[in-house]
Amino acid sequence: MKEKFDVTGMTCSACSSRVEKCVSKLNGIQKVSVNLLTNSMQVEFDEQTLSERQIIDAVVKAGYGASPKTEHTSAAVPQAGTAAVRGENPAEKEMKNMKMRLIVSFVFLIPLMYVTMGHMVGLSLPSFLDGVENGVSFAFTQLLLCLPIIYVNRKYYSKGFQTLFHLAPNMDSLIAIGSCASLVYGIFAIYRMSYGLGHGDMELVHRYYHDLYFESAAMILALITVGKYLEARSKGKTSEAITKLLDLAPKTAVVERGGKEAEIPVEQVQAGDIVVVRPGSSIPVDGFIIEGSTSVDEAAITGESIPVHKQVNDTVIAATMNKTGFIRFKATRVGDDTTFSQIIRLVEEASSSKAPIAKIADKIAGVFVPTVISIAIVTAIVWLLSGATFEFALSCAISVLVISCPCALGLATPVAIMVGTGKGAENGILIKSGEALEMAHNVQSVVLDKTGTITQGKPVVTDVETELPVKRFLSIAAGLESKSEHPLAEAILDFTKKQKISQAAVADFASVPGRGVKGKIDGVWYFAGNRRMMEEQGISLAKYEERLNALADEGKTPMLFGNEKEILGILSVADVVKPTSREAIRQLKEQGIEVVMLTGDNKRTAEAIRRQLEIDTVIAEVLPQDKEREIAKLQEQGKKVAMIGDGINDAPALARADVGMAIGAGTDVAIESADVVLMKSDLLDAVTAIRLSKAVIRNIKQNLFWAFFYNTLGIPVAAGVFYHAFGLKLNPMIGAAAMSMSSIFVVTNALRLKRFQVSEAGSQKEDTDVAVVQEAMLQSSEIDTNKENQEVRKMITMKINGMMCPHCQAAVKKALEAFDGVTADVNLEDKAAYITGDADVEALKKAVTDAGYEVVGVE
């Protein structure tokens, strides 16, 4: 049995490791995975041996909270607005709380530092605090300023001592011990000063007057809270992905019951129900069509940008969009069984099963924390045994704790991550968590979605091939497609609009489902569609077979246009490769990273893209479940995998991957499921993200080395090892200053990341306007497509007023074609003549004018 739990109270990877370890010890546990980022735990166990209550008790016994996770399946869609789904994000709530603690800490820390250290920079104190004779007031004021800081940050004490009592100290334990020791020693000093004042021993008062460590206790908590706040900011909003997935699912469905249509909540639809879907509506459940035909946008499931034609007996999938036609279908899979619900479940499971990434600082702290505590205790005991006073021994022990307090260790990771993520944002790379930064530098395989990631995600016209004058051919194509509902019609109309091609007037228009369209132009039937359309009209394709196969091999969709006798030409449409994709893939391969392309497209199209971009591996015709499975296969080989995608269908794979990267122009769900978002939709930014990750991790390791090296040097001095030989003893105040300097060094080193530069190749955007390519292709096609059959001749468009009927049309045509070598195609609707030939333009205008019509322009 597999169950998911929400876990509260975890602050570092030592916490998640402890939870995992404690639950793993239970009898009947098969597998445990704790995710620190999402504060969740996924458990596989034998329900005959173990119960949920026992698992929760084990987590609570370890010092944390646990509860069964609320399932977010399609059945819960109507309750999508409830607190369970819509409630405040725990990460956001934690960040707000951290911000409040940070503000309160510094509001009291600033006056505290003024009281304790103001005299060092020439600032005067109020008379009631100045001088040794006011020592108790001086110390008590510091204590009062320190208490609010301790109270708002009490979580460090509760969690730190709790883990310490469970013999599993973490970073919080050292923070708690260090600050608590400073606080206790400060209170002890107040009592000693009171004793001195009461007995007239001003030397004793003077000694403790400079041995107050309240500012150390407060500074420790404040600086660590800064680090924790920066860390919390980098976590992102991972839980919103499920909510946005649910928002895409239809909330209601129209079903036929008792001979009438009824709109009901989607969870009430049963297998076998007849469901009615009109144009523009979402399909609520899975099923197969029993009446009607339509084009369905399946981008939510397959990622394919081109809508798919559906007719009787074809399957339809929940959460896809019915674009054009009215359909009735029989429900086969409903509720949690739909493909869409499975995607939601995959996203949840992949997120929960993602292994927690152990922070380097916490790994060091696992040994460092108990070692420092042991050294402090040993220091105090050794000095007491050697005959030193209790104050001297305690001072040395506290110096050890204060100088080794992990401010630098705690800041090393989050500060570098903050600077790194900020630098990424400046370059259009949104890195949503420190975990993503840490993992990206180890990536060995990059898996790419095709549509919208490698390609533009929008079909465009790539080739025009015709033996007619090109503009006349495009006019015919535009006229036919202007009334078409075919998904590729928009690409053709966009193309002709950019070329300022007028549409031919079409009469008797008809759409032939699954074939194409037809209509009359100037009394002649014209056809536009696929191979089957032409074959059914008896039009021979023998001349074009080789070319059609070549276009298919190039990953293009050929649209055939013909009249009653022959093929007039071909318009090829394709989802073209982004200009920077080739360079990005080349750079990834240069870094030794394997490049894999996953796509829902057919094998022929996928293979064409692979050859064009020299991709290592391509896997075609995959469903969302398969994409996630392919990622898992690569991970099983021991590889660190990055997934780059843009569709909802990519969400499970993005969540499963070690690092998920979403193209910014993609869906919100893909972006929410990912760890990194490429805001400029440029694959080159993925290369930059990996380089940035390596720079950040290198910086973090430098910070950790300094923090650890500083402690290695400082601890022996603080413990008084050199006191007898050189009289060298570290005052805890100096230890606190050294600790602060260590933190400043770490922050300054992290700020060097601001100088990170995008590589020259990464900044060169080989941005080619599709319209420019199309224009060049249009111009060249006029030459190439005519060279085998006719000489290249000048073509002009003459705008004519006064033509009212077919008789006028015939008269203009006769006047123009009276010139040798001139052919004219006269369009009554456009009030234009498309003329090919070498005759003088003025002579042609005069001929039309003499025929009784007015020439208003020539292009």
Side-chain angles (χ1 to χ4, degrees):
M1 181 178 181
K2 183 186 289 186
E3 286 294 336
K4 284 167 280 188
F5 299 84
D6 289 318
V7 181
T8 58
M10 296 189 297
T11 58
C12 66
S13 61
C15 300
S16 58
S17 297
R18 174 159 176 76
V19 171
E20 198 167 299
K21 185 177 180 181
C22 290
V23 175
S24 297
K25 289 180 180 178
L26 296 174
N27 289 330
I29 290 290
Q30 296 162 357
K31 185 179 179 182
V32 183
S33 178
V34 179
N35 190 314
L36 176 62
L37 183 64
T38 58
N39 292 314
S40 63
M41 174 176 66
Q42 187 166 283
V43 184
E44 291 182 26
F45 62 98
D46 181 1
E47 56 186 323
Q48 303 296 326
T49 309
L50 200 60
S51 67
E52 285 186 8
R53 184 72 259 168
Q54 289 172 293
I55 294 172
I56 291 172
D57 288 343
V59 176
V60 172
K61 187 177 179 181
Y64 305 90
S67 60
K69 191 174 183 67
T70 304
E71 292 292 340
H72 303 311
T73 61
S74 59
V77 169
Q79 286 78 37
T82 63
V85 178
R86 295 289 191 188
E88 187 176 15
N89 189 290
E92 291 180 358
K93 186 176 180 181
E94 179 187 354
M95 196 164 70
K96 286 180 182 177
N97 179 262
M98 200 82 71
K99 188 175 182 179
M100 181 274 295
R101 286 163 51 189
L102 194 60
I103 292 170
V104 171
S105 296
F106 276 91
V107 163
F108 287 95
L109 180 64
I110 292 170
L112 175 60
M113 297 306 293
Y114 163 70
V115 171
T116 56
M117 297 183 176
H119 63 281
M120 296 181 182
V121 292
L123 298 176
S124 60
L125 288 173
S127 58
F128 66 90
L129 296 179
D130 197 16
V132 178
E133 63 276 8
N134 292 312
V136 173
S137 300
F138 177 71
F140 193 67
T141 300
Q142 293 182 43
L143 175 61
L144 292 178
L145 288 171
C146 189
L147 289 176
I149 301 174
I150 291 171
Y151 178 75
V152 295
N153 293 294
R154 61 191 179 280
K155 183 177 179 181
Y156 294 125
Y157 294 98
S158 59
K159 193 58 61 181
F161 286 120
Q162 189 177 49
T163 55
L164 182 63
F165 295 150
H166 284 95
L167 303 180
N170 61 3
M171 295 286 283
D172 289 345
S173 302
L174 199 50
I175 295 165
I177 294 171
S179 60
C180 191
S182 298
L183 179 67
V184 170
Y185 186 79
I187 294 171
F188 171 75
I190 291 176
Y191 279 100
R192 294 298 290 165
M193 282 193 290
S194 298
Y195 178 85
L197 288 171
H199 291 77
D201 188 352
M202 299 307 291
E203 182 183 346
L204 179 65
V205 176
H206 188 273
R207 189 200 321 162
Y208 282 101
Y209 184 83
H210 294 292
D211 275 353
L212 297 169
Y213 308 122
F214 292 118
E215 81 286 351
S216 296
M219 181 70 79
I220 289 166
L221 295 172
L223 288 179
I224 293 298
T225 301
V226 170
K228 292 287 186 180
Y229 174 68
L230 297 177
E231 197 172 9
R233 278 184 58 185
S234 70
K235 283 191 174 181
K237 303 175 181 179
T238 55
S239 62
E240 287 185 5
I242 302 300
T243 304
K244 293 199 174 186
L245 274 172
L246 290 169
D247 287 344
L248 290 170
K251 306 298 185 291
T252 61
V254 178
V255 299
E256 293 183 354
R257 288 183 177 173
K260 295 181 180 179
E261 291 184 7
E263 186 172 358
I264 62 173
V266 71
E267 75 274 9
Q268 293 181 13
V269 178
Q270 299 175 0
D273 278 346
I274 304 301
V275 183
V276 175
V277 184
R278 291 177 170 79
S281 298
S282 292
I283 293 170
V285 295
D286 293 1
F288 62 90
I289 297 175
I290 59 173
E291 179 187 329
S293 63
T294 186
S295 288
V296 177
D297 183 352
E298 295 186 338
I301 302 298
T302 66
E304 179 53 56
S305 57
I306 299 175
V308 180
H309 178 75
K310 299 284 187 178
Q311 55 190 17
V312 173
N313 292 327
D314 285 345
T315 58
V316 290
I317 302 173
T320 56
M321 179 65 71
N322 179 23
K323 300 289 284 186
T324 57
F326 172 89
I327 58 171
R328 294 169 66 240
F329 72 91
K330 187 172 185 178
T332 55
R333 293 196 296 177
V334 300
D336 294 344
D337 294 329
T338 66
T339 304
F340 190 72
S341 293
Q342 290 173 17
I343 290 177
I344 293 176
R345 187 157 56 250
L346 281 170
V347 172
E348 287 184 320
E349 290 180 0
S351 295
S352 298
S353 64
K354 184 182 289 185
I357 302 166
K359 294 285 189 297
I360 299 174
D362 285 318
K363 291 178 181 177
I364 295 174
V367 178
F368 180 73
V369 173
T371 301
V372 167
I373 295 171
S374 301
I375 291 172
I377 293 171
V378 169
T379 297
I381 293 173
V382 168
W383 279 114
L384 287 172
L385 292 177
S386 65
T389 64
F390 175 76
E391 290 88 345
F392 185 92
L394 185 60
S395 175
C396 288
I398 290 176
S399 292
V400 170
L401 289 170
V402 169
I403 200 170
S404 0
C405 199
C407 286
L409 205 57
L411 287 171
T413 301
V415 173
I417 286 173
M418 182 201 69
V419 179
T421 51
K423 192 65 185 176
E426 288 176 18
N427 291 284
I429 302 164
L430 178 60
I431 303 168
K432 295 166 60 178
S433 69
E435 284 77 4
L437 261 181
E438 185 175 353
M439 189 60 75
H441 84 291
N442 285 325
V443 166
Q444 297 163 295
S445 293
V446 170
V447 179
L448 306 172
D449 176 48
K450 181 187 79 72
T451 305
T453 302
I454 295 175
T455 64
Q456 298 280 11
K458 181 181 179 182
V460 297
V461 174
T462 59
D463 299 89
V464 179
E465 303 174 52
T466 180
E467 295 179 2
L468 290 178
V470 176
K471 289 191 176 180
R472 174 56 181 162
F473 171 66
L474 291 177
S475 177
I476 294 170
L480 288 170
E481 297 296 349
S482 65
K483 296 184 178 182
S484 171
E485 295 177 344
H486 193 280
L488 297 182
E490 185 179 350
I492 294 172
L493 291 174
D494 283 347
F495 176 66
T496 55
K497 184 178 180 181
K498 288 178 182 177
Q499 307 306 325
K500 298 180 180 178
I501 302 294
S502 56
Q503 299 175 3
V506 178
D508 298 333
F509 175 86
S511 176
V512 183
R515 306 290 192 275
V517 297
K518 62 181 181 178
K520 283 185 177 181
I521 300 176
D522 299 333
V524 177
W525 279 104
Y526 287 84
F527 307 94
N530 56 23
R531 181 191 298 263
R532 284 157 60 184
M533 178 76 165
M534 300 304 158
E535 288 173 347
E536 289 176 5
Q537 300 302 322
I539 300 172
S540 174
L541 295 174
K543 181 179 175 181
Y544 296 92
E545 286 289 352
E546 187 175 338
R547 181 59 184 154
L548 292 174
N549 289 332
L551 288 169
D553 287 339
E554 293 171 15
K556 299 174 181 178
T557 302
M559 295 286 290
L560 299 167
F561 293 83
N563 57 19
E564 297 167 346
K565 298 178 181 179
E566 61 183 348
I567 298 293
L568 300 177
I570 303 172
L571 282 178
S572 299
V573 178
D575 186 5
V576 297
V577 172
K578 292 179 182 177
T580 55
S581 293
R582 182 191 300 276
E583 175 64 13
I585 290 169
R586 185 190 68 77
Q587 289 192 30
L588 287 170
K589 293 175 72 173
E590 271 186 0
Q591 294 184 39
I593 296 173
E594 176 190 18
V595 180
V596 180
M597 183 177 81
L598 295 183
T599 177
D601 277 354
N602 61 70
K603 292 181 180 179
R604 207 169 194 176
T605 300
E607 181 61 24
I609 299 292
R610 189 199 68 78
R611 288 196 307 269
Q612 183 181 349
L613 301 179
E614 299 180 355
I615 295 171
D616 297 318
T617 308
V618 62
I619 304 172
E621 299 177 357
V622 293
L623 292 174
Q625 298 91 324
D626 300 320
K627 289 187 179 183
E628 190 264 349
R629 196 178 300 121
E630 292 297 332
I631 297 290
K633 284 181 182 177
L634 288 169
Q635 290 173 326
E636 286 170 6
Q637 297 171 21
K639 295 178 180 177
K640 298 296 182 184
V641 182
M643 169 69 190
I644 307 176
D646 72 323
I648 297 172
N649 64 297
D650 298 322
L654 287 169
R656 171 67 67 185
D658 297 290
V659 181
M661 298 187 184
I663 291 292
T667 63
D668 287 344
V669 174
I671 291 172
E672 289 297 336
S673 298
D675 303 300
V676 179
V677 179
L678 309 180
M679 302 298 289
K680 290 181 284 193
S681 298
D682 191 339
L683 270 183
L684 275 171
D685 286 342
V687 181
T688 303
I690 292 172
R691 285 186 55 249
L692 179 61
S693 168
K694 291 180 178 179
V696 171
I697 296 304
R698 185 166 56 249
N699 190 277
I700 289 173
K701 289 180 178 178
Q702 291 168 353
N703 288 344
L704 290 172
F705 171 78
W706 164 254
F708 194 69
F709 179 70
Y710 148 81
N711 279 294
T712 303
L713 290 180
I715 289 174
V717 178
V721 172
F722 306 109
Y723 181 71
H724 287 304
F726 305 103
L728 185 61
K729 175 184 177 295
L730 187 66
N731 186 298
M733 179 68 73
I734 298 173
M739 177 197 70
S740 298
M741 287 303 298
S742 176
S743 299
I744 291 170
F745 177 89
V746 164
V747 173
T748 304
N749 186 49
L751 290 175
R752 291 192 308 112
L753 287 169
K754 286 185 174 289
R755 299 204 298 263
F756 175 84
Q757 295 292 327
V758 177
S759 64
E760 186 177 347
S763 63
Q764 292 174 346
K765 302 299 183 186
E766 306 164 15
D767 200 10
T768 308
D769 190 350
V770 173
V772 175
V773 175
Q774 291 176 333
E775 180 65 32
M777 172 269 296
L778 179 64
Q779 292 170 357
S780 65
S781 68
E782 188 172 331
I783 298 173
D784 295 342
T785 58
N786 286 282
K787 64 184 180 183
E788 294 180 3
N789 303 287
Q790 60 189 54
E791 295 181 0
V792 178
R793 298 180 294 169
K794 183 171 66 177
M795 185 176 75
I796 63 173
T797 300
M798 183 179 289
K799 295 292 186 179
I800 303 169
N801 277 346
M803 296 189 297
M804 305 295 292
C805 64
H807 175 75
C808 300
Q809 182 182 16
V812 171
K813 183 178 178 69
K814 182 178 179 181
L816 291 170
E817 291 185 344
F819 293 86
D820 290 338
V822 172
T823 58
D825 191 351
V826 182
N827 190 301
L828 199 59
E829 184 74 19
D830 294 346
K831 295 183 179 181
Y834 302 97
I835 306 165
T836 306
D838 297 321
D840 181 69
V841 174
E842 292 302 320
L844 292 171
K845 290 169 66 176
K846 186 176 184 304
V848 173
T849 303
D850 291 346
Y853 303 95
E854 178 187 4
V855 178
V856 294
V858 177
E859 297 176 1

